[in-house]
Each structure stands twice: as structure tokens, then as C-alpha cells.
Amino acid sequence: HVKKTGGTTLQQVLARNYHAGALVALNAPVLYAHPDALFRLSDPVEPARQARFFVVMGHHKYGDVLYSLLQPRLVHFTLLRDPVARVVSHFRAVWGKPTHPLHELARHRGLAGFVEANPALECQDAQTHRLAGTQERLRLTAVDGRRALEAAQRHLIETTSLFGVSEEFDAFLLM
């Protein structure tokens, strides 16, 4: 899921509805360090066998290594959020966590100064770039925002099984 779109709440809902042996919360850095983690998921009926159906939850950019490790029969879904509300939520999370590396920036500059000075991708349309698969390139060079938006829209329509907006969370759950 894209950060600050309701993914933690969605993970809690999924955790209540799936057997623990078929559920894994795995963000990209952990997957890079331990790619075998996906193959440790066991079938709740036969623990020695890998689960036929399982849920992987976490922050991954589109087209990441995760997609190459999963079987082709992938049901992929995500939540989106109003970009301004998402950045405000990110600011509040950083401001409220003294151990966050950007906490002092948020505390001393306020929202407008934080957004203006923030080197993190979260304030640079990260939602679009995660869905477009251009997040890493954005760190290295300028990326055409219009093309990134078109790629993100194409990925949502052509390869995502289901997507919704966090502002309509309950309706998304029903889908």
C-alpha cells in the first residue's frame, strides 16, 4: 500500500479475516534482506506445505521484486488518498514521532515549511510515483510528472485487481 492511505487499518481488517499462517506484513527493505520470507508461509491445514492462498501486506513500489516472487495468479489491490490529505497525515506522523529523522524539520518549520524543505519523497507526489514505478528514478533525476501520472493510471486500470480511496474505506472493504 501507499504510505498514509489507510493501509495499517486495512492490515488490521485482513489480520482478523485470514489465518495467521497465511498472512505476512513485509515492507520492501525487509523483503530485500530476506526474500525467502515469502516461502515460509505455511498452509494452516498442512503446516509442512506452502499456503496456496496468502496475503502479503506492505509498502512496495509498482513492479518491485515482490511481483517477480509471487505466482502469476495475483490479486493486487491498493488504497489511494487525496494527495493533500496524505501529505498532511505524513507531516502529523513525523511531527508526532520525536525519533523520526525529519521530526525537527517538522517541528521548527510547520506544515508549509516542511513541505517546501522536505527532502523525502512523501511530499513530492510519492503516491503517483509509487504506482508508476518511478519512485527510485525520482531520487536520481527529474521525472516528468505528467508521464508518471499516466503510467500510474495505466497500472491501476490494467494490472491492479481492485483499488479504492481511503475516504471511502468502508465501500472499498465491501468490494
Side-chain angles (χ1 to χ4, degrees), residues 13-30:
V13 170
L14 291 171
R16 287 192 304 264
N17 288 282
Y18 278 85
H19 187 278
L23 190 68
V24 64
L26 189 66
N27 286 321
V30 176

Side-chain angles (χ1 to χ4, degrees), residues 52-54 70-76 161:
R52 281 185 0 168
F53 304 105
F54 58 89
L70 297 175
Q71 296 176 357
R73 289 182 33 205
L74 172 70
V75 176
H76 177 225
S161 308

